[in-house]
Each structure stands twice: as structure tokens, then as C-alpha cells.
Amino acid sequence: MGFVVTTLVFAAIGILASLCARICCNKGPSANLFHLTLVITATVCCWLMWAIVYLAQMNPLIVPILSEGE
Amino acid sequence: MEWFRNLPEMDLMRSEKMTSVQLIIPVESAHRAVSYLGELGLLQFRDLNDDKSPFQRTFVNQVKRCAEMSRKLRFLKDQIHKAGLLASDLPALKPDVDLEALEVQLVEHEHELTEMNANSEKLQQTYNELLEFKMVLQKAGGFLVSGKSYETAEGTELDENVYPSDYPDSVSLLEQATQSGPSNTSGLRFISGIIAKSKVLLFERMLFRATRGNLLFNQAPADDLIMDHISSEMVEKTIFVVFFSGEQAKTKILKICEAFGANCYPVPEDLTKQAQITQEVMLRLSELETTLDVGIRHRNVALHSIGVHLTTWINMVKRENAVFDTLNMLNFDVTKKCLVGEGWCPIFAKPQIQEALQRATFDSSSQVGIIFHTMDPVESPPTYFRTNTFTNAYQEIVDAYGVAKYQEANPAVYTVITFPFLFAVMFGDWGHGICLLLGALVLIARERKLSSQKLGSFMEMLFGGRYALLLMSLFSIYCGLIYNEFFSVPYHIFGKSAYKCRDASCGDAYTVGLIKYRDAYPFGVDPSWRGSRSELPFLNSLKMKMSILFGVAQMNLGIMLSYFNSIFFNNSLDIRYQFVPQMIFLNSLFGYLSLLIIIKWCTGSQADLYHVMIYMFLSPFDDLGENELFWGQRPLQILLLLSALVAVPWMLFPKPFILRKLHAERFQGRTYGVLRSSEIDLDSEPGSARHHEEEFNFSEVFVHQMIHSIEFVLGSVSNTASYLRLWALSLAHSELSTVFYEKVLLLAWGYENILIRIVGLVVFAFATAFILLMMETLSAFLHALRLHWVEFQNKFYGGDGYKFKPFSFAALADDED
């Protein structure tokens, strides 16, 4: 459940960021498309990174074994 | 698909549309037209006189004159610099001084300055000589006086080199000098002069040898330093007086003086005459001083007045030089009344160019207008991307590998984000990211000041990439939060850890470990992992799989861009016989691997993925047993293996055969036409670069396709493995960071002594700054760059175009540095 919720959060942040980019720097259709591409690429990269790390920890095969120093 | 085609065009994605143009300019407006075009900076001239040497070109005299003028300007600049005046930093004003007038002025100034310099040289020399004469008079006078008063057996303050009793001759000379009255009655003469202090001993010894000891050598150091005009430094000099007798000795001594560079000055013995001459010399000295001062001031005034205009003049001459170089690229037409030029310009710039040319016609009051029209291009157009300060750095990164072919997809569009992102994957530590962010913000805040300064080459690169650095630091902070490393220390920012001890005593924690009692840590790596014994196996597995996933994703993006290229150039052959088999091959092998990784993570299965992948190839029909991750895995694997096997000949064979068929169809009708017009045509130059090659070399095309396919097939394995550097570098960064933290900072902090703590802190700071922040940044930068240049771009990028270099005055200023 946590996975889907956070994915939706990422999507919402992405949409918010593209709206902000459109509002702040509205410089013609070509530049708008470029900004949109940048925002979508960044959102997808960040989401991918988070998702990979989250999925890897969902069902781990090993657990932390504390070392003597602690 | 319709919606997709109706999207607006992205400027940065493909080069601006360029067109080949031709200009026909009447001679009287040529110079002005080219200057206005230079100010506009949007037209690239083609050199029509490529085969001519620089001396055969039309405007070679003007170019020579410009070179001469810039030489004079450099000389003036040197003189100003030597005189210690600061060149005025006023920005170059619009030059309204005529070039011819400037030339005359420069000749005048140079002449004046050289004359002034020569005069002051001479004066300075005279001044030095007089100064030496004055000193000789002062000190030598003292010798002569003391020689006379020796009878009174008074000691003298001056150093007298009286040779010891081994040389009885000299002693007798001295006795003679003291016994007799005025020295000239005994035939004793003297020479007085001045010599550099370093040579005095040798000089003395030489004289002694030459006169066989028959001399008396007195010396005294000079009070002031004197300027040696050969080396233009201040040296110490010594005044000497040599008493000798005989004509031969005199010539010898004079010759030796000359050889040693000692200047001899006649000192009269008579006291009153000495006083008189000394007074005269002092008078002349003060006169010369005033003259010299006046001369220097006069020169400085002249230099100052030049210096005010110097930058403007230098810029003007540079511009004129550039204009004439460009004019040299144009051709005279048959009537010798017009210049014909060819070039490239972006289509959007045509109205502006048209307007500039009209202004030139009007300003030069020419009767005939300038003709400006498009031409059919002979060769491929140059590539032009309109970048702003933000995208410029990334475009330069892409261009450093190869400039895009005209109108092919520009990887810079995605590089803007993926490059800092991959950097961050290798650099992930939000403490270091914050340091980088501060650096980037400092550079951006002082943008205006730094851009007008001249920076060293390293600072120049750093300043140019400030926006890239900004994005790199932001993504590093993000990745650092995900890896949960703040200078290698994890924090519980996003809630409690998902792991706890099995029971209250935590006895098992060191043998069997903690257990997972909650859902996974919501954002990033669980903080319990840091410092545990099983940290590395877990993180290694995580990061390696992450690298594979990113690699497959970026390579798929690359292949998709090649699809967009094929659509743009209407190359359906490429789509069907290159894009499709490439997608199938890559995804049935490495896309499937990615899928397995994700399924294994989601189900928590214990399947061994190495085993699965290897035995998919070795024995695909065997039962999977405990390595089965999902139902239907075996038939799916067989299917994917078959598709991959089919894809290889699919991308290898059909394309060359179809190309040959297409070529034959296209030129079937043509060959008859060619025969009719001329029979010679067929034999001449079969491989020449014409629009459409008459020859189709099938073996060449086939080999080319084979190389391309093999490169892709083998490359898919090696490129995927290459992405593992993301894992390797992030591991190295994390380990270095841990070592510095634990073995330097914590170790030093363990002691109670404040001095050790401070030393530890300082060592930690330096190690972090130099090794982690500088070296690791460069390293991660380099590897992220390599991943883009090779693994991403070889899926779609041609990179064999050339850059649009318009004739522009603004670019001249950058060129000079």
C-alpha cells in the first residue's frame, strides 16, 4: 500500500512542478515543451530511484546483523 | 499518433533549419555590408577562395595594413604597460574614427614614442656617466690628497691597498710618492675610474700581473648604487685610482680597463681644479635630472592620452581585419563590379539579414541594391542550436563528443537531467551535496562579476558549468537522502527503522540479526543497515540491480530516440529492419532480466537470477525447480530466447538487399538518360560525391550493416555491464566517507585533549574537501560523461555534423582569449 501511495505522491509533485514551470516561465510553445520534458524526466528519474530502493527492502532476504562495535 | 504529431516542435531537439544563401554585393557597399553582417552575427560565409594562397587574395594589402596597425597598437600597449600606467578599462565605444586617419595617427604616435625613448636613453646614459664622474671625483680626490699628506703620517679613512713587503717595488713606489712632492715630478701618473664591485679583485690582480707589481691600487666603494645600462639594474661600484709610471704601463692599464668595462675619468690633481670640476659636474647633473624628469612626464602624458583610446582602437583594428578576411572569401564576378558570396544562415534570421543589407545599401548611397537569395545546398548544412546560459553547458558537453548531424535528435535535451542524475547516483551523500550546492550558489550569485573578469582555465570551466553543478548538487542531495548518508552517517529522518531486536535483551542481534517487524522504511535505505555486518551484501545487491535497471532504461531511451530520428527522416527501412529487431533483442534479454529483478523483489523469492539467466541459454527446456519466479516462466523464456535469436539475422540481412533493390529501381530509368546525353559521363569518377551515387557498392553496405549489428549485439552485453560503474563508484564514495568519519573524526573525538580534537577536525575537513569533494566529483563527472557519450549515444547518435560558426564581431572578442 505504501508503494502505491508514494507513487501517487510523486506523480502529484510532478504535475505541480510542471504547472509551476508553465506559470513562471511561459516562453512560447517550444520552450514550454522543453520545460515539460525536463520536469517529466526529473520526476521519472527520482521516482525510479525511490521505487527501486523501496522494492528492494519490501521482502529482504537478509537482515542486519550488528557488529561487535555497536 | 495524431496527437503526437501535432505536438509543437522543440527547438533544442533538432538543429535550427538552415538554408544556403547567395549574396551579390556591389563593390562600394561591400565593406559596409560585411560590417553590418558582422554585427548581426547570423551568417556563416563559405570560403570561395579556398585554393588561393593568402597572397593571391583580393584584399591582401588591406589585411597587411591591418596587421601592421595591430603591431603598432601592441607596441603602444607594451610601452604603456612598461611605464606603469594602467590601461583604461573603459568599454569600447562605437568607433567613429576612420581607418585611414587612425593609420596615420598610429604612425605618428609610434614615431613620437620611439624618438622619446631614444632620447631618454641617451640622456640617461649621460646622466649615469656624470654620476660616476662625480663619485670618482669625490673619492679619488681623497686618494690624491691623502697621497700628499702622507708625509704627515696621518692615517686615512680610506682603504689603501698597499702591497706587503713581498713586493718591495711597490713599497718603494709609495715611499717615492710620499718623499717627493707633487706626484708628476717623479714620473708617477695615475688613472682614476670606476668599476663594478664584483670585478674589482680580478681587475686588481690583472693590473698587478700586467705591470709586474709596479703599481699602487687604491679603491673605495661608491656611496650609491648606479644603474648599469646594459643589464638595467642597480649595481654596486667601486672607485679606484691606479698609480703607475711609464707609457707602456699606461696603455696596458687602459686596455685592461676597457676589457673589464671600467670607466676612466680624468681627475685633476690640483685641489681647486677638483673643486671647480666637481661643482660643474653637480650643476650639469641637476640640469640633466630636470631634463630627464620633464622628458618622462611628457612621455607619460602622451601615453595617457593614447591609453584612453587604446581599447577602442584595438577593437576597431580587429574588426577591420575580420571584415577584410571575410571579404577575401568572396569572389569577384565577371563584370568585376560585384562581389559574390555564399553562405549559410538560419531561416528565422533571413528578415534580419535582409534588413541589415538594406541599411548597408542606404548608408553607402549605392545605386544598386544587394541581392540576397536562397540557393540549393551543395553540402550538408551546419548544425545550429539556440542555447541559453543554462543549456549551453550541456550542449557543449554533447558537442565535445561530436556535433550533431543536421537535424538529428539532440541528446542534450535528456542529458540536462540524466547527466546530473547519474552523477548523483555515484556521489550520493546529502552532506557533500550541500557543500556542492553552496559552491554552485556562490558561483551563480557572483555571475555578473565573474563573467566580465578573465579567469584561469580551471575556474573558467568551473564557472561555465555552474548550472550543471547546481543540478548535480540538487540531485546529490536527493540521492544522499535515499542512500541515507550524511557524511556517511544515517539518520532516522523518515520515521522509525523497520528492524528491531528479536527480544528485549538483543542477545541474538550479533549472531542471527534483527527482524523486520514493520513495513519497509518509507523513503530510502533503512538506517539500521549502517555498520552492520551484513550491510555490504545487502547494499551491493541493491546497487548492482539498481545499476542494471537504470542502464536498461537509458538504453531503451536511446533506441526510442533512434526511432524518432527514423520517423523524422522518413526512413521506414530503418524502423522495420533496425529499430524493431534492436528493441526485441535488448528487451528479450536485458529487459527480461530487469523484470526478473523486480519480480524477485516483490515476491521475496529465493531464486538465483544468475542461474536463471545462464541456464536460459544453456538448457532452456529444463525444469526450473526452485528458481521459478512466476507461472509460465519456462515457456516465456523459450519464447524470448527464440525472439532474440530471430532478431539477429533480422537486423543483419534484409536491409542491404532491400537497399540494393531500391537503388536498382531508382536508377533503372536513369541509366538510359545518361547514355543519351554523354557516354563519357559513365566512366568518369564513379565514386565522386554527387547527389545520388551512381554506384551502389553492395559489399560495402553489407559489411557496414554487419559491423553495426555485431556492435549492437555484443555491445548490449558490455554496455549493460558498463552501467555497473554506478554501483562501483557509489560504493567507493560511501567507503571513503565512512573511513574518514570513523577513523579520523571519531578517533580524534575519542580523546579528551582539545588539541587532538581540533587536529582531527582539521584533517577530516581537508580530507573531505580534497578527496571527496574534488576528486570524487571529478571522477563521478567523468564516469557519468562516459555513460552518456558511449552507452547512451551509440544507440542513436550520428555526431558527424559541423557547428554553425557565423561571422560575428562578438565572437571575435572571445576568440582573442
Side-chain angles (χ1 to χ4, degrees):
Chain A
M1 203 53 221
F3 184 77
V4 177
V5 169
T6 320
T7 304
L8 288 175
V9 169
F10 268 97
I13 295 179
I15 295 176
L16 198 66
S18 16
L19 284 174
C20 280
R22 174 63 69 96
I23 293 173
C24 297
C25 344
N26 194 345
K27 287 199 190 90
S30 142
N32 283 342
L33 186 59
F34 178 57
H35 296 150
L36 187 68
T37 307
L38 291 184
V39 169
I40 291 181
T41 314
T43 311
V44 167
C45 285
C46 292
W47 171 80
L48 203 56
M49 179 99 193
W50 168 82
I52 289 172
V53 172
Y54 188 83
L55 285 177
Q57 295 187 101
M58 266 188 0
N59 301 305
L61 295 171
I62 54 179
V63 287
I65 301 175
L66 301 179
S67 65
E68 303 302 311
E70 296 183 33
Chain B
M1 217 57 221
E2 268 312 306
W3 163 85
F4 185 72
R5 278 176 211 275
N6 287 340
L7 277 177
E9 269 185 23
M10 204 190 319
D11 275 346
L12 197 60
M13 185 66 160
R14 297 184 192 277
S15 160
E16 299 284 332
K17 295 216 206 354
M18 312 289 285
T19 165
S20 173
V21 294
Q22 191 180 49
L23 291 152
I24 305 183
I25 315 177
V27 176
E28 60 265 16
S29 41
H31 184 258
R32 205 175 283 269
V34 173
S35 324
Y36 287 177
L37 284 176
E39 280 170 28
L40 191 62
L42 280 172
L43 184 71
Q44 176 180 351
F45 282 96
R46 205 182 294 138
D47 194 352
L48 297 170
N49 295 326
D50 230 346
D51 44 348
K52 295 208 194 137
S53 81
F55 297 101
Q56 288 173 318
R57 303 205 183 201
T58 336
F59 295 92
V60 64
N61 284 327
Q62 278 84 341
V63 172
K64 265 198 257 177
R65 281 162 67 189
C66 284
E68 185 59 30
M69 277 201 277
S70 56
R71 183 198 63 83
K72 292 202 180 73
L73 284 168
R74 267 200 304 274
F75 168 71
L76 291 174
K77 192 168 175 181
D78 258 343
Q79 290 294 312
I80 293 183
H81 188 70
K82 257 200 243 164
L85 298 172
L86 291 169
S88 97
D89 268 336
L90 293 173
L93 311 160
K94 204 86 161 83
D96 26 316
V97 182
D98 184 28
L99 199 67
E100 321 260 320
L102 178 63
E103 209 174 352
V104 170
Q105 248 186 324
L106 281 180
V107 168
E108 257 177 49
H109 282 307
E110 191 192 13
H111 186 72
E112 193 185 337
L113 219 61
T114 4
E115 226 182 274
M116 274 198 272
N117 278 349
N119 282 346
S120 69
E121 273 276 319
K122 260 191 291 179
L123 279 177
Q124 186 75 27
Q125 211 163 336
T126 325
Y127 179 76
N128 274 348
E129 281 174 15
L130 278 179
L131 202 63
E132 287 179 354
F133 194 14
K134 174 184 103 173
M135 289 189 197
V136 168
L137 278 173
Q138 280 175 345
K139 295 291 166 85
F143 286 141
L144 299 173
V145 168
S146 79
K148 295 220 173 100
S149 66
Y150 206 61
E151 297 163 341
T152 59
E154 270 176 349
T156 66
E157 315 136 356
L158 301 167
D159 236 12
E160 279 196 12
N161 256 359
V162 183
Y163 288 96
S165 50
D166 302 348
Y167 309 100
D169 291 348
S170 55
V171 171
S172 60
L173 252 178
L174 181 58
E175 282 172 355
Q176 271 186 348
T178 56
Q179 280 153 18
S180 59
S183 39
N184 52 7
T185 52
S186 61
L188 191 67
R189 303 218 297 266
F190 66 92
I191 287 184
S192 53
I194 190 167
I195 186 175
K197 184 161 168 200
S198 49
K199 300 194 200 157
V200 135
L201 268 132
L202 262 165
F203 182 56
E204 198 183 319
R205 219 164 285 164
M206 197 69 167
L207 282 175
F208 182 71
R209 262 191 238 129
T211 54
R212 293 202 195 96
N214 283 339
L215 90 167
L216 178 62
F217 186 85
N218 282 347
Q219 62 171 332
D223 287 331
D224 301 314
L225 300 172
I226 296 194
M227 168 87 81
D228 181 14
H229 67 92
I230 304 172
S231 62
S232 24
E233 317 180 309
M234 306 295 266
V235 292
E236 283 186 5
K237 294 224 175 178
T238 314
I239 295 141
F240 64 88
V241 174
V242 178
F243 293 95
F244 62 92
S245 71
E247 201 52 45
Q248 273 188 335
K250 177 174 180 185
T251 38
K252 277 193 219 163
I253 292 176
L254 280 177
K255 260 199 223 144
I256 295 175
C257 282
E258 212 177 296
F260 273 81
N263 299 329
C264 298
Y265 298 101
V267 174
E269 293 169 38
D270 196 13
L271 266 181
T272 40
K273 267 212 217 134
Q274 271 181 28
Q276 211 180 359
I277 289 193
T278 316
Q279 232 182 345
E280 269 178 37
V281 167
M282 302 282 273
L283 205 64
R284 278 203 63 199
L285 267 179
S286 61
E287 269 176 29
L288 266 180
E289 257 176 44
T290 5
T291 320
L292 269 176
D293 264 340
V294 166
I296 289 184
R297 229 174 313 135
H298 182 68
R299 186 193 70 171
N300 280 359
V301 162
L303 282 178
H304 187 78
S305 72
I306 296 176
V308 170
H309 299 292
L310 197 65
T311 344
T312 323
W313 287 345
I314 290 181
N315 276 345
M316 236 188 87
V317 172
K318 250 196 291 182
R319 282 185 171 201
E320 289 300 313
N321 207 347
V323 167
F324 283 117
D325 276 334
T326 312
L327 282 173
N328 271 337
M329 290 198 224
L330 310 176
N331 259 337
F332 266 109
D333 79 330
V334 265
T335 62
K336 290 279 184 221
K337 291 227 192 71
C338 293
L339 285 167
V340 176
E342 290 179 15
W344 296 101
C345 78
I347 290 190
F348 72 82
K350 272 178 57 177
Q352 297 174 24
I353 296 182
Q354 197 73 279
E355 188 254 329
L357 292 174
Q358 273 173 359
R359 241 186 327 132
T361 316
F362 182 70
D363 283 344
S364 56
S365 12
S366 156
Q367 306 290 4
V368 190
I370 301 179
I371 300 177
F372 172 70
H373 67 103
T374 50
M375 257 189 4
D376 277 336
V378 167
E379 50 181 10
S380 179
T383 313
Y384 181 47
F385 291 113
R386 274 197 285 185
T387 55
N388 53 26
T389 39
F390 177 67
T391 51
N392 198 29
Y394 297 102
Q395 191 60 51
E396 280 190 13
I397 287 178
V398 170
D399 283 346
Y401 183 74
V403 179
K405 201 167 53 179
Y406 179 62
Q407 298 242 295
E408 74 166 339
N410 183 15
V413 168
Y414 295 99
T415 304
V416 173
I417 296 291
T418 56
F419 175 75
F421 181 72
L422 287 184
F423 170 87
V425 170
M426 294 190 265
F427 194 75
D429 184 316
W430 57 283
H432 300 148
I434 291 181
C435 298
L436 276 187
L437 181 66
L438 289 174
L441 286 177
V442 161
L443 280 176
I444 294 179
R446 304 173 70 198
E447 201 173 39
R448 199 162 307 157
K449 189 164 95 91
L450 284 173
S451 63
S452 54
Q453 267 177 8
K454 205 164 175 301
L455 308 162
S457 67
F458 181 68
M459 265 310 279
E460 187 91 38
M461 275 198 290
L462 202 62
F463 180 68
R466 58 194 182 281
Y467 288 105
L469 203 61
L470 178 71
L471 279 190
M472 277 150 64
S473 58
L474 289 174
F475 278 116
S476 299
I477 295 178
Y478 178 79
C479 282
L481 287 172
I482 293 219
Y483 289 152
N484 215 342
E485 284 190 17
F486 177 78
F487 291 101
S488 89
V489 177
Y491 283 103
H492 292 71
I493 301 181
F494 296 100
K496 287 205 294 210
S497 163
Y499 295 92
K500 74 168 177 25
C501 293
R502 286 163 206 271
D503 52 31
S505 68
C506 272
D508 284 348
Y510 299 90
T511 48
V512 209
L514 311 170
I515 55 165
K516 182 167 180 291
Y517 73 106
R518 301 173 51 175
D519 270 345
Y521 194 70
F523 189 85
V525 172
D526 199 304
S528 304
W529 285 106
R530 160 71 54 190
S532 65
R533 270 192 283 145
S534 50
E535 176 193 4
L536 276 181
F538 172 71
L539 280 183
N540 282 350
S541 157
L542 166 68
K543 289 183 179 175
M544 282 168 119
K545 291 177 177 159
M546 175 184 75
S547 316
I548 300 283
L549 290 172
F550 280 133
V552 172
Q554 196 175 33
M555 287 197 283
N556 270 318
L557 178 65
I559 303 182
M560 285 305 294
L561 280 178
S562 83
Y563 171 69
F564 290 137
N565 268 342
S566 314
I567 295 234
F568 183 83
F569 291 114
N570 283 327
N571 196 345
S572 62
L573 200 66
D574 263 354
I575 299 178
R576 267 180 264 143
Y577 300 104
Q578 205 154 298
F579 165 69
V580 174
Q582 278 183 349
M583 273 304 242
I584 291 179
F585 184 82
L586 187 70
N587 287 320
S588 58
L589 295 181
F590 298 100
Y592 177 61
L593 176 62
S594 316
L595 184 69
L596 286 180
I597 291 174
I598 296 179
I599 294 179
K600 180 172 177 185
W601 276 342
C602 289
T603 60
S605 143
Q606 300 235 351
D608 183 354
L609 291 182
Y610 288 122
H611 198 269
V612 168
M613 285 304 290
I614 293 177
Y615 281 90
M616 177 169 140
F617 285 88
L618 289 184
S619 36
F621 296 101
D622 276 1
D623 195 20
L624 286 165
E626 59 189 20
N627 286 331
E628 177 138 4
L629 280 161
F630 54 90
W631 177 82
Q633 186 174 352
R634 193 158 60 104
L636 179 66
Q637 281 184 197
I638 297 174
L639 178 67
L640 290 175
L641 191 62
L642 278 176
S643 340
L645 282 174
V646 161
V648 177
W650 187 351
M651 66 174 96
L652 176 58
F653 289 111
K655 193 166 155 198
F657 289 103
I658 296 186
L659 277 175
R660 184 169 70 166
K661 191 159 77 99
L662 280 177
H663 181 87
E665 273 173 27
R666 204 187 300 156
F667 292 103
Q668 218 168 34
R670 276 278 192 105
T671 42
Y672 294 119
V674 171
L675 263 176
R676 232 182 297 139
S677 52
S678 90
E679 284 134 329
I680 317 170
D681 243 4
L682 268 178
D683 300 332
S684 67
E685 307 166 75
S688 72
R690 298 195 215 178
H691 279 297
H692 312 284
E693 284 168 18
E694 305 283 343
E695 279 288 313
F696 179 78
N697 199 344
F698 178 74
S699 54
E700 204 180 293
V701 173
F702 187 76
V703 167
H704 177 87
Q705 190 63 25
M706 189 166 74
I707 292 177
H708 196 80
S709 312
I710 292 182
E711 194 189 334
F712 182 80
V713 168
L714 294 180
S716 66
V717 178
S718 85
N719 290 348
T720 310
S722 185
Y723 276 94
L724 286 172
R725 68 186 72 222
L726 294 173
W727 157 64
L729 261 91
S730 82
L731 178 68
H733 189 95
S734 155
E735 288 297 310
L736 272 175
S737 191
T738 308
V739 160
F740 288 140
Y741 179 71
E742 284 179 8
K743 301 285 185 267
V744 175
L745 198 63
L746 284 187
L747 193 66
W749 212 258
Y751 291 93
E752 283 303 317
N753 191 347
I754 185 89
L755 194 63
I756 297 185
R757 284 187 177 184
I758 290 183
V759 166
L761 202 62
V762 167
V763 172
F764 175 73
F766 270 98
T768 301
F770 284 104
I771 297 183
L772 285 172
L773 286 181
M774 268 200 237
M775 190 190 86
E776 276 289 312
T777 302
L778 284 173
S779 173
F781 182 93
L782 176 85
H783 285 284
L785 201 61
R786 180 251 153 72
L787 282 176
H788 277 81
W789 279 354
V790 179
E791 276 78 22
F792 176 51
Q793 286 181 348
N794 72 2
K795 303 285 178 289
F796 68 96
Y797 195 52
D800 48 4
Y802 61 106
K803 215 163 164 185
F804 176 63
K805 277 207 191 58
F807 172 60
S808 153
F809 288 144
L812 274 183
D814 299 331
D815 260 350
E816 175 205 78
D817 310 328

